[in-house]
Amino acid sequence: MKKLFAENILQGKVAFVTGGGTGITGGVARAFAEHGAKLAITSRKEENLAGMKATVEGFGGECFAVAADVRDFDAVEAAIAKTVEHYGKIDIVVNGAAGNFLCAAEQLSANGFGTVVDIDTKGTFNVCRASFEELKRSKGQILNISATLHYLATPMQIHVSAAKAGVDAITRNLSVEWGRHGIRVNGIAPGPIEDTEGMKRLLMPELKEKMMRKIPVGRFGRIADIENAALFLASDAANYVTGVTLVVDGGSWLLGTSLT
Ligand code: HXC
C-alpha cells in the first residue's frame, strides 16, 4: 500500500488491539506497526495471532501476541497486565474483536443475540475499563471499530446492530467521562469493505455489481481505507477530536446501501 502518512507518525506508541489478528482490525494493527507503533494483539484464538506476529516481525516491527476472550474481564485484565509488563505502557487501545453471522430476528436465540452483544459491546467496555489506569497514565486513546448497520435498519443483523449501537454509546460516554484525564475516545464505522472474508462470502458477482452502482463514490471500500482513517484518528493530527465515530463508507449508508 502506498504510504500516505509519515512513517514515524506513531513512533514510540504502544497499541493494544483486540481482534488484531485478522480482517479490518488486523489491517489497522499492521498499519499501526508500519507507522512505528509497538503492537500487542489479542484474540480468542491463539492461531489467529501467529500470522500477524510473523507479518509484523517480517518488516522489523514488534508484535506481542496474547490470547484472551474479551467477554472475560479477568482474562482482559491479565492480557493488559502482560502487555504493560512487556512494553512498560499502553498508549492506544483498539477494540476490534467482534462476532457476526446473518440470522433473521425470529430465528435468533436469546443466547445468539447475547453472544454478539457480549463480544462487541461488553467486550469493548471490558477492555476500556481494564485499560483505564494505563491510558490515564499515558494520556492515551481508544478507537472502537463500529458499523453503520444501526443508522437505518439492517435485516438479519438485529444482534450486531444492537451491539454496535452500544459500542457507539460507549464511545460518546467515555469521551465525556475520560476527557479530563487526557484520554480521547473515537470510533470508526466502516462501510462495505470488499477485501474482508465476510464480504467475500456474502457477495455473489451479480449482487456485487448491483451494490456497487448504489455506492455514491462508485466503488467498494478496501481495508486500506479503514487503516488510513485509523492512522489519522490515532495520530496527533486528531488531538482535538474525541467522541466521534468516523463513517468511512463512500456515502453508502445515506442511500441505505450499507451492508455492513
Ligand atoms: C444463528 C447462531 C449462529 C448462526 C452462532 N449462533 N452462530 N445463530 N445463526 N450462524 C448462536 C448459537 O446457536 C448459540 O446460541 C449462540 O449463537 C452462541 O454460539 P457459539 O457458537 O456457542 O458461540 P461462540 O463460540 O462464542 O461464537 C459465536 C460467534 C462465532 C461469535 C458468532 O461464531 C464467530 O466468532 N463468528 C465469526 C466472527 C466474525 O465474523 N467476526 C467478524 C465480525 S465483522 P444457542 O441458543 O444455540 O446456544 C463485524 C462487522 C459488522 O462485526 C458488520 C459486517 C456486516
Side-chain angles (χ1 to χ4, degrees):
M1 174 180 95
K2 185 181 163 221
K3 293 233 173 67
L4 299 173
F5 296 94
E7 285 192 9
N8 63 355
I9 196 171
L10 298 180
Q11 203 69 46
K13 304 286 186 193
V14 173
F16 178 89
V17 185
T18 73
T22 56
I24 288 176
T25 319
V28 169
R30 197 207 68 259
F32 279 12
E34 282 173 348
H35 289 77
K38 293 175 182 172
L39 204 60
I41 50 171
T42 179
S43 166
R44 188 160 47 132
K45 296 185 196 120
E46 197 108 39
E47 65 265 25
N48 282 348
L49 301 172
M52 183 57 65
K53 187 170 162 61
T55 300
V56 170
E57 289 175 351
F59 59 73
E62 285 185 56
C63 185
F64 177 66
V66 51
D69 187 331
V70 292
R71 291 172 284 191
D72 177 349
F73 185 76
D74 292 344
V76 168
E77 265 199 318
I80 284 167
K82 282 183 202 158
T83 302
V84 173
E85 199 181 300
H86 187 80
Y87 287 130
K89 62 167 184 167
I90 295 175
D91 302 285
I92 304 167
V93 165
V94 180
N95 284 297
N100 195 14
F101 51 80
L102 294 172
C103 188
E106 70 276 17
Q107 279 157 17
L108 183 63
S109 71
N111 190 37
F113 184 92
T115 297
V116 171
V117 170
D118 277 351
I119 298 171
D120 294 24
T121 319
K122 195 172 147 196
T124 294
F125 174 77
N126 285 346
V127 174
C128 293
R129 177 68 185 82
S131 56
F132 171 69
E133 290 299 336
E134 282 309 317
L135 293 176
K136 190 173 147 190
R137 209 184 324 276
S138 64
K139 301 214 178 304
Q141 56 160 304
I142 295 167
L143 194 54
N144 294 325
I145 306 300
S146 188
T148 61
L149 295 166
H150 50 294
Y151 293 176
L152 297 172
T154 310
M156 316 284 279
Q157 291 276 268
I158 192 170
H159 42 319
V160 188
S161 302
K164 294 299 194 185
V167 168
D168 291 353
I170 289 172
T171 299
R172 287 191 293 269
N173 240 83
L174 290 186
S175 71
V176 168
E177 291 199 46
W178 292 357
R180 76 180 73 97
H181 299 296
I183 302 172
R184 291 193 294 119
V185 188
N186 290 300
I188 293 181
I193 304 299
E194 69 180 335
D195 49 346
T196 60
E197 273 315 306
M199 196 61 97
K200 280 183 206 154
R201 273 201 307 268
L202 226 63
L203 277 185
M204 288 84 77
E206 322 82 73
L207 180 61
K208 189 172 173 181
E209 215 21 67
K210 205 169 141 201
M211 256 192 83
M212 197 148 77
R213 284 198 294 273
K214 289 174 77 181
I215 299 173
V217 302
R219 68 166 178 92
F220 279 90
R222 311 274 309 166
I223 292 176
D225 293 308
I226 310 303
E227 293 170 15
N228 286 329
L231 282 167
F232 164 67
L233 287 173
S235 76
D236 288 344
N239 253 344
Y240 202 52
V241 181
T242 194
V244 161
T245 295
L246 182 60
V247 179
V248 186
D249 77 336
S252 298
W253 85 266
L254 291 167
L255 280 179
T257 47
S258 77
L259 229 179
T260 65

